[in-house]
Amino acid sequence: MINEFKDFIAKGNVMDMAVGIIIGAAFTAIVTSLVGDLINPIIALFTGGIDFSGWFYVLGEGECASVDACAEAGISVFAIGNFLMAVINFLIVAWVVFMLVKMVNRVKAAAEKPDEVEPEVESGPSELDILIEIRDAMKAQA
């Protein structure tokens, strides 16, 4: 059982997946910062200063200024803005992953493509061709 587990772990696919998960987790922080610090202000500029993270509806009794304040007060909210930010994060991550896979496939295809095959250069008649010509010439003289 332990040997089977070692074989499973030693396979390349499992290691590739582990590396992908680790890099993906690190990449999430970058994308979250990209969306929160760069894209949100641009969207807010075009939408008249609307901050999506502050877009929510209170579902219970009470009133609060932010989603965090509602959470501290124990008030249920319908946080549309947080959901929109998660969708934007997903679309950005999906686009970047798509571009990376496209680039890797292009590099892989270029690596698998055989080098240009040089055209065959005719080096003249073969030994057999010369012997046949000699035979035919001798027959013609006789």
Side-chain angles (χ1 to χ4, degrees):
M1 177 82 105
I2 296 211
N3 287 333
E4 288 179 70
F5 183 70
K6 286 180 185 178
D7 291 341
F8 173 74
I9 294 297
K11 287 185 179 177
N13 293 342
V14 174
M15 297 308 288
D16 293 343
M17 184 179 68
V19 169
I21 289 171
I22 292 168
I23 290 174
F27 189 67
T28 300
I30 294 171
V31 172
T32 302
S33 175
L34 174 72
V35 171
D37 299 333
L38 301 176
I39 293 177
N40 278 351
I42 293 171
I43 292 173
L45 181 69
F46 289 113
T47 59
I50 297 174
D51 179 17
F52 285 120
S53 62
W55 186 13
F56 65 95
Y57 294 105
V58 176
L59 298 177
E61 297 287 326
E63 212 173 292
C64 34
S66 69
V67 174
D68 294 333
C70 288
E72 287 177 15
I75 299 172
S76 297
V77 294
F78 191 68
I80 296 171
N82 288 342
F83 175 74
L84 284 177
M85 295 317 307
V87 169
I88 291 170
N89 283 346
F90 170 77
L91 291 175
I92 291 170
V93 169
W95 176 256
V96 170
V97 168
F98 168 74
M99 295 305 287
L100 287 173
V101 168
K102 189 174 178 179
M103 181 184 66
V104 167
N105 287 341
R106 188 177 299 141
V107 169
K108 204 184 272 189
E112 290 174 357
K113 189 183 225 180
D115 294 336
E116 268 189 44
V117 178
E118 294 182 22
E120 291 185 24
V121 178
E122 291 192 33
S123 60
S126 68
E127 191 175 312
L128 181 61
D129 293 334
I130 293 173
L131 289 173
I132 291 172
E133 283 181 33
I134 293 172
R135 182 196 69 195
D136 293 342
M138 290 176 72
K139 276 185 183 178
Q141 286 180 355

